[in-house]
Amino acid sequence: MKRIIERIKGFDIKRMFKMIKVVSSRSGESFIHIFLDIFRCWIKFGSGYMDYYLFYFETLPDDIKATYINVAVNKDYIRHCNDSNYYYILNDKPTFLEKYKEFIKRDYVDIRKCSYEEYESFFNNHSEFMAKPVDGLCGYGIELIKTNGLDAKNTFDELNKKGQYLLEERIKQNEEVNAIYADSINTLRIVTLNKNNNVEVLFSAMRIGNNGKVVDNFNNGGLMAVVDEDGVIRKPVLDKDNKVYSSHPMTNTPIVGFKVPHYDEVIDTCKKLALVTPEIGLCGWDIAITPEGVDVVEGNQIPGYDIYQSREQLAPSIKGLKEEFDNAIYPERVGKQIFGKGFNAIKFIWVFFFGALLDLLFGALHLDIPVCLNFVVSYLLCYKHIDVRPFKETIIRIIIYSLLIFIFDYCVLNYLDLNNTSISFIYGFKYLTLEVVKTLVIDIVSTLLICLIGLYFVFPFIDKVVEKLNMVAGVILTILFGVGDLLLLFMVVTSYLMVILLLLYI
């Protein structure tokens, strides 16, 4: 529940609606369906609206959606692998530089701690440098300072005013990398996993600046390309808007086919970095390529999972990388059987049970809504292919079913009301028009609401719970619910038989 509350607080409603419009436009599906399906996928898989947008979830069946690392899965990885008590080492840039200083090849000063004379010496020794907040994210707040024509004291005051306390010598970039885009340092993002001092590289990508910016961050306008194990980029690069390029859009320098210089040294360095603070087991390292070798820019205890799984990077397969990461991060779970995965009969027992419970609750509140029946019908007729079936077809099925409910209610209204046993079907329709219309509207609206709530909220929740249970707990609960279903079904059938017998007697 705590995690759900955290996720709700993190919702940017305005941005979500913007993404829904984009997805609705590119898919041709209705806004309402995309809106509801985002919440369905959030409940069932833990994915967010940005996951839905970035990974084209509107086109994928549920068994493929389940293969993607998403925001919730990534958080679980972080919680499992990393000790938050050590995050300050990576989050405070000066602390990081000191902790990993044997891997740092550039000059730097922290103007919060150094003397003015040390700052002035740094200022005079470098024609340009990078000014950074000590705790910035995604490249925001980073500025390239060119000292030519600037006054040291005025610059010092301005840097303090902006909170740009960390000054770093600008890294001189390898000529081959520089030819792709020269305005930023184009770094490699290497994701390592340290389990019991055994370090494995899970993912490697190259981040490239764009649009005249001095940072290469993917979330700040940069480009991203997956790097193969031999250091070669073989697939197109893309930006955050899912635009794809084989060459840099500004310099026209080819990127597909580019071999990263000093790649073996990059991997070797990252494996050594991962051993320095083993309490942070899963980390994304940003590595710059210099003419002499490599320089470490920073570490990230929350590696961005979105760069792993773009459609272009995963092609020709559309499966995500969750299984691959799961096997590395949770080796103890490999081969472990999951209860209820893919077993619709088991989930149907749970659907019936929770529908019956709601029926009892609504009955206690004197609300005449057949929740259990609506759940059962919508589960059987609509849920199996909700991930690929057009929304309008689902709505049509529910409306047809609601009309059957109306016919039943109309018959009850006219024939089973003991005070009106003489009223014929036509007579009742003619003289009870308002009551008929009211019943029709109530049946359609209530059936639509109950069925949609079941399809997009209750059933995915049941899916998730059933599949998360271990085998013993799952079997025991399913047997108990099954017995409960049989008892409730017996009571319902017995009640209807008694009513029919009573009517026949009268």
Side-chain angles (χ1 to χ4, degrees):
M1 181 60 70
K2 182 180 178 182
R3 293 189 192 181
I4 292 175
I5 293 172
E6 287 176 357
R7 296 284 304 282
I8 291 173
K9 287 181 178 179
F11 265 4
D12 183 338
I13 300 296
K14 192 173 182 181
R15 190 183 187 198
M16 182 179 72
F17 282 176
K18 181 181 178 182
M19 293 299 101
I20 292 174
K21 287 180 181 178
V22 173
V23 175
S24 177
S25 176
R26 77 187 181 192
S27 66
E29 188 54 272
S30 70
F31 182 96
I32 294 175
H33 169 68
I34 301 300
F35 177 81
L36 291 173
D37 203 44
I38 283 173
F39 279 92
R40 185 181 72 86
C41 292
W42 173 54
I43 294 168
K44 187 171 181 177
F45 307 112
S47 56
Y49 62 87
M50 284 304 298
D51 298 325
Y52 199 98
Y53 162 72
L54 289 171
F55 305 143
Y56 289 79
F57 268 16
E58 76 276 11
T59 67
L60 302 178
D62 280 359
D63 59 334
I64 299 296
K65 290 188 184 85
T67 67
Y68 278 74
I69 301 170
N70 57 45
V71 61
V73 171
N74 197 53
K75 284 183 178 180
D76 286 339
Y77 290 162
I78 302 305
R79 290 186 181 101
H80 182 79
C81 298
N82 297 343
D83 185 341
S84 60
N85 293 317
Y86 292 83
Y87 284 1
Y88 73 95
I89 296 173
L90 302 184
N91 290 339
D92 185 79
K93 297 183 190 300
T95 302
F96 172 83
L97 293 172
E98 286 300 309
K99 180 73 173 179
Y100 295 87
K101 60 185 176 183
E102 66 176 291
F103 302 97
I104 308 300
K105 306 296 175 57
R106 61 193 178 278
D107 190 16
Y108 62 89
V109 292
D110 180 354
I111 61 175
R112 298 173 304 172
K113 300 176 181 179
C114 71
S115 66
Y116 181 79
E117 288 72 24
E118 288 174 310
Y119 155 76
E120 192 171 35
S121 174
F122 177 90
F123 184 90
N124 293 329
N125 287 336
H126 301 290
S127 60
E128 58 182 20
F129 59 84
M130 305 302 295
K132 303 179 178 181
V134 296
D135 56 357
L137 296 172
C138 299
Y140 294 108
I142 296 177
E143 185 179 358
L144 173 62
I145 306 295
K146 297 185 178 182
T147 59
N148 184 32
L150 295 180
D151 177 75
K153 182 62 171 66
N154 290 339
T155 303
F156 181 79
D157 293 338
E158 189 66 22
L159 291 170
N160 274 291
K161 183 179 178 181
K162 292 180 179 179
Q164 295 169 322
Y165 302 120
L166 178 62
L167 313 182
E168 295 182 11
E169 173 189 3
R170 193 182 192 197
I171 297 171
K172 186 177 181 182
Q173 190 162 231
N174 176 280
E175 289 185 5
E176 296 174 64
V177 179
N178 203 59
I180 298 176
Y181 181 79
D183 288 345
S184 75
I185 304 302
N186 307 308
T187 60
L188 288 164
R189 168 62 64 87
I190 310 296
V191 179
T192 59
L193 174 67
N194 180 357
K195 288 188 78 72
N196 303 317
N197 289 325
N198 293 315
V199 180
E200 179 183 355
V201 173
L202 297 184
F203 186 78
S204 176
M206 187 172 186
R207 308 184 310 165
I208 303 166
N210 193 21
N211 298 322
K213 294 190 176 182
V214 298
V215 294
D216 64 351
N217 299 72
F218 188 53
N219 290 304
N220 198 359
L223 309 175
M224 188 279 296
V226 170
V227 180
D228 288 346
E229 291 181 359
D230 58 358
V232 178
I233 297 171
R234 290 188 170 88
K235 293 182 179 178
V237 298
L238 73 155
D239 61 19
K240 193 73 172 178
D241 294 323
N242 282 321
K243 294 178 181 177
V244 180
Y245 312 92
S246 59
S247 300
H248 196 283
M250 292 186 69
T251 66
N252 292 319
T253 304
I255 301 176
V256 175
F258 180 78
K259 182 171 177 59
V260 178
H262 305 291
Y263 188 71
D264 290 341
E265 184 182 350
V266 170
I267 298 301
D268 183 61
T269 299
C270 289
K271 288 183 176 181
K272 291 176 181 177
L273 288 166
L275 294 170
V276 175
T277 311
E279 294 82 3
I280 301 178
L282 183 64
C283 192
W285 306 100
D286 293 340
I287 309 295
I289 310 296
T290 68
E292 295 77 28
V294 303
D295 196 0
V296 179
V297 178
E298 64 181 11
N300 302 271
Q301 77 272 14
I302 305 179
Y305 65 93
D306 51 354
I307 66 176
Y308 308 157
Q309 302 170 122
S310 71
R311 292 170 75 88
E312 288 70 27
Q313 309 301 343
L314 295 175
S317 169
I318 56 172
K319 288 183 65 176
L321 301 180
K322 183 176 181 293
E323 183 178 3
E324 180 181 326
F325 274 62
D326 279 356
N327 291 343
I329 293 171
Y330 311 117
E332 68 278 4
R333 300 182 189 176
V334 175
K336 185 176 181 181
Q337 192 174 3
I338 300 173
F339 178 76
K341 188 173 180 63
F343 292 97
N344 293 324
I346 289 173
K347 293 172 184 175
F348 176 78
I349 291 171
W350 286 57
V351 167
F352 192 106
F353 183 80
F354 282 103
L357 284 181
L358 287 173
D359 259 349
L360 292 173
L361 174 63
F362 281 23
L365 297 173
H366 303 289
L367 297 173
D368 185 22
I369 302 174
V371 180
C372 188
L373 181 62
N374 288 350
F375 274 12
V376 167
V377 171
S378 58
Y379 186 82
L380 293 176
L381 296 183
C382 303
Y383 190 57
K384 187 175 181 180
H385 299 294
I386 193 172
D387 49 346
V388 292
R389 180 186 291 121
F391 183 60
K392 62 183 179 182
E393 186 177 330
T394 298
I395 294 297
I396 290 171
R397 290 182 179 211
I398 295 174
I399 290 176
I400 291 173
Y401 162 64
S402 70
L403 293 176
L404 295 176
I405 292 289
F406 163 71
I407 291 173
F408 174 81
D409 284 347
Y410 180 80
C411 290
V412 169
L413 180 70
N414 284 276
Y415 293 106
L416 301 184
D417 185 340
L418 299 183
N419 294 322
N420 294 286
T421 52
S422 63
I423 298 179
S424 69
F425 187 89
I426 302 299
Y427 184 87
F429 188 82
K430 180 177 179 182
Y431 291 98
L432 297 174
T433 303
L434 187 60
E435 190 68 26
V436 169
V437 172
K438 179 183 174 183
T439 303
L440 176 63
V441 172
I442 290 174
D443 284 344
I444 291 176
V445 171
S446 64
T447 303
L448 267 174
L449 284 176
I450 295 297
C451 289
L452 290 178
I453 288 171
L455 289 169
Y456 287 94
F457 295 92
V458 178
F459 303 163
F461 173 76
I462 290 173
D463 279 350
K464 185 173 184 178
V465 171
V466 172
E467 292 175 12
K468 286 285 185 182
L469 289 172
N470 64 52
M471 294 299 294
V472 174
V475 170
I476 292 174
L477 284 172
T478 301
I479 291 173
L480 289 174
F481 289 171
V483 171
D485 290 345
L486 290 174
L487 290 174
L488 289 167
L489 188 60
F490 175 76
M491 289 169 58
V492 170
V493 171
T494 303
S495 299
Y496 274 98
L497 286 175
M498 289 178 64
V499 170
I500 292 171
L501 290 173
L502 178 63
L503 290 173
L504 289 174
Y505 177 76
I506 293 173

